[in-house]
């Protein structure tokens, strides 16, 4: 396999993007110098561009994983293609698979959850400092529009975070200012193999519909939408710090009462989402799927403000004298 080199300006731009995110993730206390970087590479043009950029910008500090969702017949061959490119670049590569078959409703959300669990477990074992994903400006614009359509609050409208912390550590998205078209041009011009996932064209998925809307509406500039999501994320960080303080003061467990009825609605929204996620984790509730960053909890907040018990995401919440009590929702009665 013969790969052509990337333009030096693109490599320098990527290096700067990663360095800024590393400094942000570490409050300026750490630089990207010497950091080991784990890359999640699916085989699409975006992640293959990230792979080439990362290897050029940070040689001998890269390790790569491809998560084979096993949802399509060609997925194994696609993971093998990534492995072949990594072998040519002399970069370690690992193929990850789900612990159990991905099936049921909300397949995309289930696939995302399984992917990040597997990537986090892998990254912990690799002794790396940061995990990088290939989300770009067009992904960000699509996510923002999807969240607007779902009436998400500020936390959801912040969309894809450039820096996110999970059980593994820091997840970085250094391509959020890059357009899909320029990433595709990079891999095409450098003779880097890539695949087009046919599920990206599946009209059953909300993201596919939003992507078509953007393509048909030139007045909607994905770069501007992505920048707006970035500004919303900055505001979100300020409010999230306040919510974190209030959480540490008020949360004593799902059955102890979360006394936040008098707080501003935005703060109630954040804390009730977190309480739902925490209670689901404690009780082992997996269904229905729940996104703690963007779930619409407005009907739940309205019911609690009116003094009524309500249920969401498999959790029943009832007002009490000491605050809101969270417990498992009773099973639905069959007809």
């Amino acid at each position: 396999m013969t790969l052509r080199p990337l333009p030096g300006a693109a490599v320098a731009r990527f290096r700067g993007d990663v360095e800024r995110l590393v400094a942000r993730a570490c409050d300026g206390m750490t630089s990207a110098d010497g950091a080991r970087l784990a890359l999640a590479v699916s085989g699409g043009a975006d992640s293959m561009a990230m792979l080439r950029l990362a290897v050029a910008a940070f040689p001998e500090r890269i390790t790569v994983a491809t998560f084979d969702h096993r949802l399509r017949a060609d997925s194994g061959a696609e993971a093998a293609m990534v492995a072949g490119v990594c072998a040519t670049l002399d970069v370690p590569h690992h193929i990850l698979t789900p612990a159990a078959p991905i099936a049921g409703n909300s397949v995309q959300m289930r696939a995302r959850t399984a992917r990040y669990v597997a990537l986090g477990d892998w990254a912990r074992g690799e002794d790396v400092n940061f995990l990088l994903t290939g989300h770009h400006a067009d992904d960000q614009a699509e996510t923002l529009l999807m969240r607007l359509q779902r009436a998400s609050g500020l936390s959801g409208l912040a969309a894809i975070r450039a820096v996110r912390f999970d059980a593994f550590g820091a997840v970085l998205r250094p391509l959020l200012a890059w357009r899909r078209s320029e990433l595709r041009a990079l891999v095409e011009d450098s003779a880097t193999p890539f695949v087009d996932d046919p599920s990206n064209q599946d009209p059953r998925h909300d993201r596919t519909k939003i992507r078509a809307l953007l393509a048909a509406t030139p007045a909607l500039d994905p770069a501007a939408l992505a920048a707006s999501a970035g500004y919303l994320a900055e505001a979100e960080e300020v409010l999230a710090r306040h919510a974190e303080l209030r959480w540490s003061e008020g949360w004593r467990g799902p059955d102890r009462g979360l006394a936040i009825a008098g707080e501003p609605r935005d703060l109630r929204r954040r804390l009730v989402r977190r309480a739902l996620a925490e209670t689901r984790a404690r009780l082992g509730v997996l269904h229905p799927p729940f996104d703690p960053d963007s779930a619409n909890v407005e009907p739940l907040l309205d019911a609690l403000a009116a003094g009524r018990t309500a249920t969401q995401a498999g959790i029943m919440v009832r007002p009490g004298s000491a605050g809101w009590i969270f417990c498992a929702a009773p099973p639905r009665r069959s007809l």
Side-chain angles (χ1 to χ4, degrees):
M1 184 183 301
T2 302
L3 304 176
R4 292 192 286 269
L6 301 182
V11 175
R13 176 185 172 189
F14 180 80
R15 183 185 299 114
D17 290 337
V18 173
E19 288 174 344
R20 281 189 290 274
L21 293 187
V22 166
R24 180 173 161 188
C26 301
D27 293 326
M29 301 301 292
T30 302
S31 73
D33 294 337
R36 295 197 68 237
L37 306 176
L39 272 59
V41 178
S42 66
D46 317 323
S47 63
M48 294 302 288
M50 180 180 67
L51 169 62
R52 293 296 314 276
L53 289 164
V55 171
F58 303 99
E60 300 183 2
R61 285 192 271 152
I62 304 300
T63 186
V64 177
T66 300
F67 184 73
D68 179 2
H69 298 83
R70 295 185 170 174
L71 292 173
R72 293 182 291 104
D74 295 335
S75 63
E78 292 166 4
M81 180 275 292
V82 180
V85 174
C86 287
T88 299
L89 295 170
D90 196 22
V91 172
H93 178 266
H94 307 263
I95 296 177
L96 312 178
T97 56
I102 301 170
N105 297 327
S106 304
V107 169
Q108 285 193 320
M109 182 178 290
R110 293 174 189 270
R112 179 183 183 278
T113 299
R115 180 169 65 253
Y116 275 104
V117 168
L119 287 168
D121 290 344
W122 165 72
R124 276 190 293 271
E126 287 293 300
D127 189 31
V128 296
N129 303 98
F130 305 97
L131 174 64
L132 278 60
T133 72
H135 296 91
H136 49 71
D138 295 76
D139 291 328
Q140 184 74 295
E142 292 160 9
T143 302
L144 176 62
L145 291 178
M146 290 168 64
R147 300 282 176 82
L148 282 168
Q149 190 174 18
R150 295 172 187 166
S152 298
L154 181 58
S155 177
L157 296 180
I160 304 170
R161 313 299 171 85
V163 177
R164 180 175 67 81
F165 295 94
D166 64 10
F168 150 70
V171 179
L172 309 182
R173 279 69 179 256
L175 299 179
L176 286 181
W178 296 62
R179 293 296 309 276
R180 176 184 287 121
S181 57
E182 60 184 327
L183 294 170
R184 191 180 186 96
L186 277 177
V187 293
E188 290 177 342
D189 293 345
S190 62
T192 304
F194 65 93
V195 295
D196 285 317
D197 186 343
S199 65
N200 290 332
Q201 307 300 322
D202 190 336
R204 293 175 296 177
H205 299 317
D206 290 344
R207 185 173 292 276
T208 305
K209 297 173 185 175
I210 292 295
R211 186 171 299 147
L213 171 67
L214 279 169
T217 315
L220 291 175
D221 179 8
L225 291 171
S228 293
Y231 299 138
L232 290 167
E234 291 176 358
E236 162 66 15
E237 287 180 10
V238 175
L239 294 172
R241 291 193 195 102
H242 181 54
E244 181 66 34
L245 177 62
R246 188 65 183 85
W247 176 264
S248 65
E249 295 171 344
W251 179 254
R252 298 294 180 267
D255 59 346
R256 298 290 298 275
L258 183 60
I260 59 172
E263 298 289 355
R265 189 174 180 98
D266 183 77
L267 191 56
R268 280 180 280 150
R269 181 182 297 118
R270 294 166 185 273
L271 295 177
V272 79
R273 281 177 176 153
R274 184 165 179 178
L276 288 170
E278 174 74 14
T279 305
R280 282 167 56 93
R282 291 195 183 196
L283 299 178
V285 176
L286 300 177
H287 307 294
F290 176 73
D291 186 344
D293 290 329
S294 63
N296 183 359
V297 295
E298 304 313 307
L300 175 61
L301 292 176
D302 290 341
L304 292 169
R308 301 194 308 271
T309 296
T311 298
Q312 182 162 351
I315 301 300
M316 184 173 68
V317 190
R318 59 179 176 82
S321 58
W324 297 343
I325 305 297
F326 296 76
C327 60
R332 293 182 178 182
R333 287 182 288 182
S334 58
L335 298 177

